Amino acid sequence: MTDYPTREYYTGKRSAHRRAVYKGIGLTDRDLDQPLIAVVSTASEVCPGHFHLQKVVQSVKNGIWQAGATPLEFSAISQCATQTLGLPGIRYDLPARELIALDIETIVETQLFDGLVVVTTCDKTIPGALLGASRVNLPTVIVPGGIMETGFVNGKEVSLSDLDEKVFSGKIDAMPDKEVADWENRVIPGSGACPIMGTANTMQVLSEIVGMSMPFSSTKIAGSAAQLRLAKEAGNRVVELVRRNIRFSDIVTRRSMQNMLRGAMSLGAASNSMLHMLALSHDMGYEDTVDIDCIARISREVPCILNVKPVGDYYLTDLERLGGIPLLLSRIRTFLDGECSTVSGLTMSQICDLGAELDDPQRVGDVLKDVQHPVMDNGGIIVLRGNLASSAIVRAFKHSRHTFVGTAKVYDSQEDAMAAVQKGEVKPGDAIVLRYMGPKGGPGMPDCFGVAAAVVGAGLEETVAVITDGRFSGFARGVGVCQICPEAASGGPLSRVRDGDEIVINALEGTLDDKAPDFEERSVPQPPERTKRGILNIYRRIAGEAATGARL
């Protein structure tokens, strides 16, 4: 290959200083006479989602070398929100997305590359990779880290979300030590993203649907030979994208983002994914096409057909064994733009054809429904509006109540709300109002799963609602309204709610209201004082609302 962007910077006498830097790490003249590909890795020892990635990275680099380019690896951060759920540290979870994006943007722009591969797994790292890649706009492939196998406890398939609910409800205190040890030792059998449709797997899958990952790659079992082969192919493909000058913005278009959103609805996607897609659409300048109104409309057009937990009954490993995401796409192809390009060189229509070849209704069974007989008639993400919100999001489940009327119990911290549930102070018919959890109020828009899990674990899944301007993990079940805009810390109406107010949620009509007669006349209280240091201080000062992605 003789025509690629960095060639002019690594040839001739006046490029000697640049060549010297890379010769200092052992590269040769031949290595520097071909395209340079950045390989970003979030491999780390802080969680199972990233523990195995170094082998995946090596396969990608082998593929790049094989295709006639030079890979150069650098690392970005990774984290697991489980460690700080319900604790102050959870406020750093969403800001990690921004740090990853800034890391990729900064290093790629300062080091001169022709292409980019990001190898990553989890719920903030995939969105961070997409945001960072959108800003540098190079030929890019995202390589998902894949899914873990299910755990087995007492002969039953389980995942980490099951243990979380026992912990946050306090029920684990009454369990025998041996049973607790069994859960600890068996619930996570290895690496990868937890095998339900939480945020991590939602975002891995959406990376494939939008066209930035290789077909079949997002649901591969972490560390499997099949995953390593696809990673090597991804290395091949990024070099071909450089050769043909096909950039991120040529793949992630307004049309492909509409596919991404339609695919999300068919999955029963995590509510966090809406936040991340809104952030990406605004970064790309597509906010006139993919916005909160678009989410509201498409959710009512595209049914959920994937019968995978927490919305359904199965695990994502079951879909992987049947044919993965191309199989799902083949069943919703009438909702998709088939002409959209992907990094594989195939169009969306051609990928649907691959999936259709694997579709045997008898073999697929109940794991994947069809659009005539869906898991849910809607996409499971309902946008609510009313005197409590200009917009809010609720994730529906196949047995969800369409309406909820409850009595407000107001909390300004997750710790207080969880303690109230564990003490039995929250009763059926209550609506927990958890405020000052937004981008500025948190600050950092923390994940409020600890409160939701406490409610579900206490047996109050459909009888108590949790309403917040924060976020919910993709693990969360129950009646949960999140991402309320405007947030309480910005003077939003959630700040005016008082204990005893009647709260009405109507998912059919898309409304969220406080029925107190004097609600509109109440004054807005001052938000509580929160941290003024570091990344959280940056979020407190400049973060946008959830409806625009809660982005910096």
Side-chain angles (χ1 to χ4, degrees):
M1 194 188 314
T2 58
D3 184 21
Y4 51 91
T6 64
R7 185 174 179 80
E8 65 175 299
Y9 301 113
Y10 288 95
T11 56
K13 293 181 179 180
R14 294 197 175 186
S15 295
H17 59 308
R18 297 190 187 99
R19 292 196 300 273
V21 168
Y22 282 136
K23 286 188 175 183
I25 65 168
L27 296 188
T28 66
D29 287 329
R30 180 176 177 180
D31 297 334
L32 295 172
D33 194 29
Q34 55 191 19
L36 302 179
I37 310 297
V39 179
V40 185
S41 166
T42 61
S44 76
E45 296 181 347
V46 301
C47 70
H50 304 264
F51 184 67
H52 66 296
L53 291 184
Q54 202 54 52
K55 286 185 178 180
V56 183
V57 168
Q58 190 56 55
S59 289
V60 169
K61 291 165 71 174
N62 290 344
I64 292 169
W65 284 117
Q66 185 182 61
T70 299
L72 291 163
E73 179 186 344
F74 67 90
S75 298
I77 64 169
S78 58
Q79 94 290 2
C80 179
T82 297
Q83 307 306 83
T84 51
L85 283 170
L87 301 175
I90 194 62
R91 296 176 297 169
Y92 288 88
D93 185 42
L94 184 61
R97 179 190 72 182
E98 305 300 309
L99 291 173
I100 293 159
L102 291 168
D103 198 0
I104 292 170
E105 177 187 3
T106 301
I107 301 303
V108 169
E109 292 289 8
T110 58
Q111 292 300 123
L112 299 175
F113 290 106
D114 299 289
L116 171 66
V117 179
V118 187
V119 184
T120 190
T121 306
C122 285
D123 47 332
K124 304 308 172 302
T125 55
I126 293 274
L130 290 167
L131 289 172
S134 76
R135 294 169 191 172
V136 299
N137 197 30
L138 290 176
T140 301
V141 180
I142 307 293
V143 177
I147 59 177
M148 72 170 62
E149 293 279 12
T150 55
F152 280 86
V153 177
N154 297 325
K156 180 182 177 183
E157 280 189 297
V158 294
S159 72
L160 181 60
S161 63
D162 299 307
L163 178 57
D164 287 337
E165 290 171 2
K166 296 178 186 300
V167 170
F168 291 114
S169 67
K171 286 188 173 182
I172 198 162
D173 295 337
M175 290 169 55
D177 290 347
K178 182 181 183 304
E179 186 177 357
V180 173
D182 280 348
W183 275 93
E184 284 183 23
N185 295 331
R186 299 171 187 240
V187 72
I188 296 179
S191 296
C194 297
I196 67 173
M197 195 53 71
T199 309
N201 278 322
T202 297
M203 293 312 302
Q204 291 197 110
V205 168
L206 292 183
S207 179
E208 181 176 332
I209 292 175
V210 80
M212 287 308 303
S213 299
M214 298 294 286
F216 300 100
S217 65
S218 65
T219 59
K220 282 287 170 273
I221 302 299
S224 64
Q227 182 184 55
L228 298 179
R229 288 193 296 269
L230 277 170
K232 192 170 187 179
E233 288 180 26
N236 293 164
R237 283 303 304 170
V238 74
V239 179
E240 181 62 22
L241 295 174
V242 170
R243 183 175 288 112
R244 297 173 59 191
N245 193 29
I246 297 174
R247 297 173 177 265
F248 185 93
S249 60
D250 296 315
I251 303 295
V252 182
T253 63
R254 284 177 169 82
R255 292 161 59 196
S256 69
M257 281 208 69
Q258 294 263 342
N259 279 351
M260 190 183 194
L261 186 50
R262 291 187 172 98
M265 298 309 168
S266 73
L267 300 172
S271 59
N272 274 328
S273 66
M274 302 299 117
L275 193 76
H276 300 318
M277 284 189 281
L278 289 168
L280 182 59
S281 75
H282 278 74
D283 251 39
M284 297 289 291
Y286 300 160
E287 64 268 25
D288 59 337
T289 305
V290 179
D291 59 10
I292 197 73
D293 293 327
C294 178
I295 290 171
R297 173 176 54 82
I298 288 180
S299 178
R300 297 189 183 278
E301 293 174 357
V302 181
C304 171
I305 65 168
L306 184 59
N307 193 16
V308 162
K309 294 174 181 285
V311 169
D313 303 317
Y314 295 88
Y315 289 92
L316 199 53
T317 46
D318 295 308
L319 178 68
E320 162 57 18
R321 294 182 182 107
L322 295 171
I325 295 308
L327 173 60
L328 178 142
L329 293 174
S330 72
R331 291 198 175 187
I332 62 163
R333 70 187 307 162
T334 56
F335 294 103
L336 301 174
D337 186 331
E339 297 306 308
C340 287
S341 301
T342 72
V343 295
S344 68
L346 301 174
T347 64
M348 176 58 70
S349 180
Q350 290 170 321
I351 291 172
C352 288
D353 289 341
L354 293 178
E357 292 174 6
L358 301 171
D359 196 350
D360 177 347
Q362 270 194 320
R363 188 174 65 92
V364 171
D366 285 337
V367 175
L368 186 65
K369 304 286 191 174
D370 57 48
V371 295
Q372 289 79 30
H373 308 91
V375 176
M376 293 186 293
D377 291 332
N378 59 55
I381 298 292
I382 309 298
V383 176
L384 305 178
R385 293 183 168 94
N387 71 0
L388 277 178
S390 60
S391 69
I393 281 177
V394 61
R395 186 185 191 184
F397 300 88
K398 64 180 181 178
H399 301 304
S400 292
R401 297 169 58 173
H402 296 304
T403 59
F404 182 92
V405 179
T407 303
K409 286 194 172 177
V410 181
Y411 303 93
D412 294 347
S413 79
Q414 293 197 60
E415 294 92 336
D416 289 346
M418 284 191 293
V421 175
Q422 291 169 3
K423 292 175 183 176
E425 295 171 1
V426 175
K427 307 294 184 183
D430 286 340
I432 295 174
V433 175
L434 184 59
R435 61 190 183 185
Y436 303 114
M437 300 292 128
K440 294 180 179 177
M445 202 178 185
D447 186 334
C448 300
F449 173 60
V451 178
V455 168
V456 173
L460 301 170
E461 180 174 350
E462 291 297 325
T463 60
V464 168
V466 183
I467 300 166
T468 182
D469 48 4
R471 301 179 293 111
F472 285 132
S473 162
F475 286 9
R477 296 187 291 144
V479 183
V481 179
C482 63
Q483 301 179 32
I484 288 178
C485 298
E487 63 170 298
S490 297
L494 207 63
S495 65
R496 301 200 301 269
V497 180
R498 296 175 183 169
D499 285 343
D501 287 1
E502 183 182 78
I503 307 295
V504 179
I505 304 166
N506 190 321
L508 290 175
E509 296 181 5
T511 57
L512 174 65
D513 293 294
D514 187 315
K515 294 297 185 179
D518 64 337
F519 181 73
E520 301 293 347
E521 287 73 46
R522 293 175 185 170
S523 60
V524 175
Q526 284 293 314
E529 280 288 320
R530 297 274 163 86
T531 183
K532 294 184 178 180
R533 297 189 303 171
I535 183 69
L536 295 184
N537 187 38
I538 296 172
Y539 244 81
R540 183 180 67 85
R541 289 174 176 272
I542 67 173
E545 291 277 358
T548 58
R551 46 196 274 282
L552 296 181

